[in-house]
Amino acid sequence: MTKTWIIALAASVTLALAGCGGSAPGGTSGGAGAQTGPIKIGSLHPLSGSSAADGQQLENGAKLAVEAINAAGGVKSLGGAKLELTSGDTQGKPNIGQSEAQRLIQDGAVAIVGTYMSAVSANVASVAERNQVPFVMDITGDDAILSHGYKYSFRLQPPTMRIGAESARHLAELSEQQGKPVKKVAYLHEQSAYGTSAMTGFREEAERLGITVDPVISYDPVGVSDLTTQITQVKASGADVLAVTGYYRDGVLAAKAVGSVKPGLDAVYGVADGAFDLPQFPKDAGAAGEGFFDVNYRLDLNNPETKRLADTYKQRFGDEIRTGAVLAYDAVRTIATGLEKSGSRDPKKLRDVISSGSLPSMLVGKGPVKFDATGQNVNAIPVMMQVHDGAVQVVHPKEHAEPEARPDYPAAPGS
Amino acid sequence: MTAEARPVVPEPRWGGRSLTAARAAAVLIALIAAVTVAYATQGQPVVVTQAVITGILTGGVYGLVAMGLTLIFGVLDIVNFAHGAFLALAMFVTFGLVAALGVHPYAALAVSVPLLFALGWVLQYGLLNRAMGGPLQNQLLITLGISLLIENALLLFLGANPRSAPLPGDRALPVLGAVADTSRVLAFAAALALAGALWLILTRTRVGTAIRAVAADPRGAEHVGVDVRRIYALTFALGTACAGAAGTLVAPFATIEPTTGQLFTIVAFVVVVLGGMGNVPGALAGGLVIGLTEQLGGVFLPGQSPMLPVFVVFVLALFLRPQGLFGGNG
């Protein structure tokens, strides 16, 4: 009797959620017809749930961008119209993200930024496509979303596969330079599309360069509570370097396990890792995290404008800015610049201007934000970072490195 | 309320204990066989040793978390969805004390356990007791509401940034070539101590006898003069106090976030059912079985979710013994 009730309840909750998600445009292309008043930009991030810390950073970044643009006089070509950020909480769930995207579009959003999580972005991208509203992704690890031929999806972060390949090249180069060339890399990654594509990109390039990638160990980031056995496996394999791709909590677990097992590596090397380059990682991992590398996209602290944004962020939210917040900031700027150039509130015209325009980026890159035919920003590049004395620094390539910062290699972890 | 009689500990009826012992032996033999096969088939014995040690230590933690849950489930018939939130609350209390006063993380037990006990008492006495005897989904929804309330209050007031409360002098102890962190070994020891203490309370004290009487038959207990509502409150408070202890003990090696508790409770529900609902030593044993299954599963099936072998074992166990491995014989 009891069990029947519980099952019935669970089923009805699931059904209710699915009901919200089953959203068709139904001919109503939203309230985008509003020709006066503030211009709405939708922001979709995980504001609660296990990714809330990152989600709130991205949300704050988008907020700061809207405020900065409004303070500078709004969209001038539209009579100084102000921007308004309308936000939705995806809770990190694809179905919620989908229904929230639908809600924001019906509420009159001319474009959407988001969503930090690949599975959520995949759903939001299809909603945006159906409703013909531009969707500018700040962070989204899965490369497959842009392979569907969507016209309304754009992505600022570099492709995860490319970060993987770039990481392998940087590692080979650096280890060679320091006279300890890498022969064998063990790879530990979370098991979703993000971890797998980073690993694939890395392995293909590494093997081309004559480096063996073995063993490759994957884990479930949601349920994992200890990685000691996996690190022991790495130690037993005799690899020179451990490459890691994962999220924050599991990254700290990996660092702690490395500290305990002492696997005798030349380096622990993050590949688009979500932990090793965050400002609070050195504190949470303690001594175990010292010397960890990460190759990832990065906010450009050599750019005075980015530096100013980082200071504003700290003042306003009492927290160190993460790269994600800068990506969300750039995503909103991309949309605002598009509105300025198109001189129209029509999402379709906005899409055309975004796809052909360019914008000076606040990320480390080889040029302005500029999208190719699939909607990928072509100029974002990953850089190499390392934990030095409890702080994350950009150490390579030289033209983007922070002043005086040099990579330490080998950086035997757990010693 | 039409609660089926769920004994809190196996009834000492004739043959009951030896049957439980026989089942425990069977489980032990199965585990030893799995470990032996792992050693025989895997090239690197140190990996298997590490898997076994990690499995035992995380299993102890799962048992620790599941104890409070199983107590509440067994006596009150409440599926306590707020258990993870209580755990998170205790972690944040621990973090707060460590960060603000610089105390040793374990000293926070002196605050987290009484605090969670009081919270549990108040919630059961003031809120859940009103729903007792009503449809079971009412209580379930109340605990779900409490969990949303606590987790989102933590998120709202303390923010989502991950925090840590490291154990001073935490280091890796060498065990047969593998390693075990001091903090995890201590949490394991505490799990054993807590299971022992709860078992003694339940079997050797007047209050424990009253709790078991209420679990077996609330109306009957009332007829012989037991204050059932007080026993309900006390049991729920004991359960949340266990969550308090678990939260503080886990804090040194967990990343502390409002949602951290959920991480452990998914497994804890499996452990509760596997160990037999309401059976405290069973929860510890179930935790160990799950911890070892997860780790050995990782050795045998690399790259799979650890939940896969866990649920294979779970479904198998439910098929063979629907009342749980160490549940009553009824």
Side-chain angles (χ1 to χ4, degrees):
Chain A
M1 189 60 192
T2 316
K3 288 191 177 115
T4 325
W5 271 112
I6 294 175
I7 290 162
L9 185 77
S12 57
V13 168
T14 318
L15 273 177
L17 291 176
C20 296
S23 49
T28 57
S29 77
Q35 289 306 321
T36 52
I39 303 169
K40 288 177 179 171
I41 295 177
S43 166
L44 279 176
H45 295 104
L47 303 179
S48 61
S50 58
S51 297
D54 282 294
Q56 290 181 352
Q57 280 263 347
L58 289 144
E59 174 77 13
N60 291 341
K63 225 180 259 171
L64 287 180
V66 165
E67 285 169 15
I69 290 156
N70 285 345
V75 182
K76 295 180 191 88
S77 68
L78 285 165
K82 297 276 190 270
L83 298 181
E84 183 189 329
L85 199 68
T86 57
S87 302
D89 177 9
T90 66
Q91 303 171 24
K93 295 173 187 155
N95 55 345
I96 308 249
Q98 184 173 344
S99 57
E100 283 294 282
Q102 194 67 38
R103 179 178 71 80
L104 295 181
I105 291 169
Q106 267 159 9
D107 193 36
V110 297
I112 288 177
V113 300
T115 68
Y116 181 71
M117 297 167 105
S118 299
V120 181
S121 287
N123 282 17
V124 173
S126 76
V127 172
E129 191 70 16
R130 262 182 285 156
N131 289 281
Q132 301 181 311
V133 168
F135 172 40
V136 182
M137 290 177 257
D138 32 43
I139 294 182
T140 292
D142 186 7
D143 299 337
I145 295 172
L146 291 177
S147 67
H148 301 313
Y150 288 157
K151 281 188 134 60
Y152 284 83
S153 290
F154 302 92
R155 178 168 73 165
L156 288 170
Q157 76 152 85
T160 309
M161 285 273 278
R162 196 194 294 162
I163 302 177
E166 199 86 14
S167 307
R169 273 195 294 277
H170 281 323
L171 178 62
E173 218 171 273
L174 176 65
S175 62
E176 196 116 353
Q177 248 173 38
Q178 304 296 323
K180 284 202 84 175
V182 181
K183 298 267 182 327
K184 189 173 175 187
V185 174
Y187 208 117
L188 178 70
H189 71 89
E190 67 86 33
Q191 63 186 13
S192 80
Y194 149 60
T196 313
S197 44
M199 185 276 292
T200 313
F202 183 93
R203 187 169 59 186
E204 279 172 9
E205 186 65 17
E207 281 170 356
R208 211 182 55 79
L209 295 165
I211 299 169
T212 319
V213 180
D214 182 62
V216 173
I217 308 162
S218 66
Y219 61 88
D220 176 11
V222 181
V224 69
S225 63
D226 191 310
L227 285 166
T228 316
T229 309
Q230 287 81 345
I231 300 297
T232 305
Q233 217 173 325
V234 171
K235 182 181 187 177
S237 76
D240 307 321
V241 166
L242 167 66
V244 183
T245 303
Y247 297 99
Y248 189 76
R249 200 179 56 79
D250 33 317
V252 174
L253 285 177
K256 285 186 177 164
V258 165
S260 302
V261 176
K262 302 196 181 8
L265 300 162
D266 284 349
V268 175
Y269 194 81
V271 178
D273 189 77
F276 303 164
D277 64 358
L278 290 193
Q280 70 269 45
F281 170 76
K283 202 174 96 229
D284 283 352
E290 186 66 22
F292 275 34
F293 287 94
D294 192 27
V295 174
N296 214 342
Y297 43 86
R298 183 72 173 171
L299 73 168
D300 184 6
L301 283 173
N302 293 339
N303 176 342
E305 215 181 318
T306 315
K307 187 90 186 65
R308 220 170 310 131
L309 174 63
D311 292 341
T312 313
Y313 191 98
K314 185 150 195 196
Q315 232 170 34
R316 180 74 190 279
F317 302 106
D319 197 3
E320 296 288 339
I321 196 167
R322 301 185 188 176
T323 301
V326 180
L327 277 157
Y329 192 91
D330 265 358
V332 171
R333 280 172 65 232
T334 303
I335 293 162
T337 313
L339 287 165
E340 189 72 66
K341 278 192 202 149
S342 72
S344 155
R345 293 168 183 246
D346 181 2
K348 286 179 215 140
K349 285 187 187 140
L350 179 59
R351 181 257 153 212
D352 294 339
V353 177
I354 290 176
S355 79
S356 63
S358 77
L359 169 83
S361 176
M362 300 173 79
L363 291 172
V364 174
K366 52 184 204 275
V369 174
K370 209 169 160 34
F371 300 102
D372 66 12
T374 64
Q376 173 63 46
N377 173 18
V378 291
N379 281 331
I381 55 165
V383 291
M384 185 192 278
M385 292 159 271
Q386 191 174 25
V387 178
H388 280 165
D389 298 323
V392 179
Q393 287 187 316
V394 178
V395 294
H396 183 80
K398 212 172 259 164
E399 64 270 27
H400 298 299
E402 286 166 48
E404 314 280 310
R406 298 269 171 286
D408 277 335
Y409 190 95
S415 55
Chain B
M1 184 167 150
T2 56
E4 306 111 83
R6 282 200 185 117
V8 170
V9 291
E11 289 161 51
R13 77 165 75 115
W14 189 83
R17 269 177 209 280
S18 61
L19 262 179
T20 307
R23 279 197 295 274
V27 171
L28 200 64
I29 289 169
L31 283 173
I32 290 172
V35 172
T36 316
V37 172
Y39 271 116
T41 55
Q42 303 296 315
Q44 295 143 341
V46 65
V47 175
V48 182
T49 310
Q50 184 66 59
V52 171
I53 288 169
T54 309
I56 290 173
L57 292 179
T58 48
V61 170
Y62 292 155
L64 183 65
V65 173
M67 272 175 224
L69 204 59
T70 201
L71 193 63
I72 293 171
F73 207 177
V75 178
L76 291 91
D77 252 349
I78 292 178
V79 182
N80 181 17
F81 274 120
H83 204 70
F86 291 138
L87 209 61
L89 192 62
M91 287 186 201
F92 272 95
V93 167
T94 310
F95 165 77
L97 289 172
V98 170
L101 305 177
V103 298
H104 192 281
Y106 291 156
L109 281 173
V111 178
S112 65
V113 174
L115 182 79
L116 269 288
F117 185 90
L119 182 66
W121 184 289
V122 168
L123 284 175
Q124 177 67 34
Y125 213 83
L127 201 62
L128 283 160
N129 262 353
R130 293 162 199 271
M132 298 300 283
L136 290 172
Q137 72 270 26
N138 288 9
Q139 298 137 32
L140 189 146
L141 285 174
I142 291 174
T143 62
L144 192 63
I146 294 170
S147 101
L148 289 174
L149 202 68
I150 293 177
E151 280 177 7
N152 286 295
L154 289 174
L155 185 65
L156 184 66
F157 294 116
L158 301 169
N161 267 344
R163 295 151 207 269
S164 52
L167 192 68
D170 194 3
R171 60 191 195 87
L173 308 167
V175 188
L176 305 168
V179 293
D181 287 342
T182 324
S183 53
R184 288 178 190 265
V185 173
L186 288 174
F188 180 78
L192 290 182
L194 195 63
L198 275 180
W199 190 77
L200 283 179
I201 290 176
L202 288 174
T203 54
R204 298 279 185 274
T205 65
R206 275 178 68 86
V207 135
T209 311
I211 290 177
R212 284 186 297 141
V214 170
D217 185 353
R219 202 167 301 159
E222 200 161 22
H223 282 311
V224 295
V226 175
D227 184 347
V228 173
R229 297 170 70 81
R230 227 188 101 239
I231 292 296
Y232 279 159
L234 179 70
T235 312
F236 197 83
L238 273 178
T240 53
C242 287
T248 298
L249 290 163
V250 166
F253 52 88
T255 297
I256 305 170
E257 293 169 313
T259 51
T260 306
Q262 291 173 6
L263 183 77
F264 294 100
T265 44
I266 305 167
V267 181
F269 277 113
V270 174
V271 169
V272 166
V273 178
L274 197 66
M277 295 171 201
N279 186 343
V280 171
L284 189 62
L288 290 174
V289 170
I290 293 298
L292 281 167
T293 308
E294 203 181 81
Q295 289 294 322
L296 290 173
V299 170
F300 284 121
L301 304 165
Q304 291 302 322
S305 166
M307 284 290 118
L308 178 70
V310 166
F311 278 97
V312 168
V313 167
F314 184 52
V315 169
L316 210 63
L318 277 189
F319 180 69
L320 295 173
R321 272 193 69 76
Q323 63 272 60
L325 287 178
F326 307 102
N329 297 312

